[in-house]
Structures are given as C-alpha cells and as structure tokens.
C-alpha cells in the first residue's frame, strides 16, 4: 500500500486514520448511504476532534463518541433501507 509522504508524516489520534471529509452519497463499507445531515454531522465531529487534537487536548472520548455515532448511523441506514425494500 502506498502512503504519501505528507500522510505518513502527519499524526493522528488513535482510531483516526485521516482528516478527509465524507462526501454526500458515499457508500459505506456495509452498503449504507447516509443522509446528508448525517454526513454533515460526521464531518463536524471529525473537525472538532482535529481542532482539539492539534491544540493538545486528549480526544479519546471524542473519538469513542464518533465511533458510536458511526455505528448508530450505519444501523439506522440499514434499518431504513430494509423498510424501503419491504415497502416496494
């Protein structure tokens, strides 16, 4: 796997592999496509973690909350997708 020099030199808190924002319509690893409001929330939380981390704060709890949020959005996306398929 190729990692650019700039990405390799950056530091990230445990659990974060990059600061890239999720784009609207992005299909997650489990097949869900999040609502635009969820994508906005994801990106806002990632920006908050980055600002706090770069300012020297401990962000462990923020990262844990971020992962909980991701899990909830994935579960809700799967549930809504299943309901939509039944309604067809």
């Amino acid at each position: 796997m190729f990692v650019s020099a700039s990405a390799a030199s950056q530091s990230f808190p445990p659990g974060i592999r990059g600061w890239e924002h999720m784009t609207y319509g992005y299909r997650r690893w489990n097949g869900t496509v999040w609502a635009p409001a969820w994508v906005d929330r994801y990106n806002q939380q990632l920006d908050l973690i980055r600002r706090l981390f770069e300012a020297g704060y401990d962000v462990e709890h923020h990262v844990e909350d971020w992962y909980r949020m991701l899990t909830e959005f994935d579960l809700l996306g799967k549930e809504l997708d299943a309901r939509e398929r039944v309604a067809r």
Side-chain angles (χ1 to χ4, degrees), residues 71-85:
T71 301
E72 291 300 318
F73 287 170
D74 284 341
L75 292 173
L76 183 55
K78 285 284 197 188
E79 181 180 326
L80 293 173
D81 185 47
R83 286 183 188 180
E84 186 176 294
R85 275 187 265 136

Side-chain angles (χ1 to χ4, degrees), residues 10-21:
Q10 284 188 346
S11 65
F12 303 102
I16 303 285
R17 292 187 285 164
W19 301 121
E20 297 82 23
H21 281 189

Side-chain angles (χ1 to χ4, degrees), residues 13 34 55:
W34 289 0

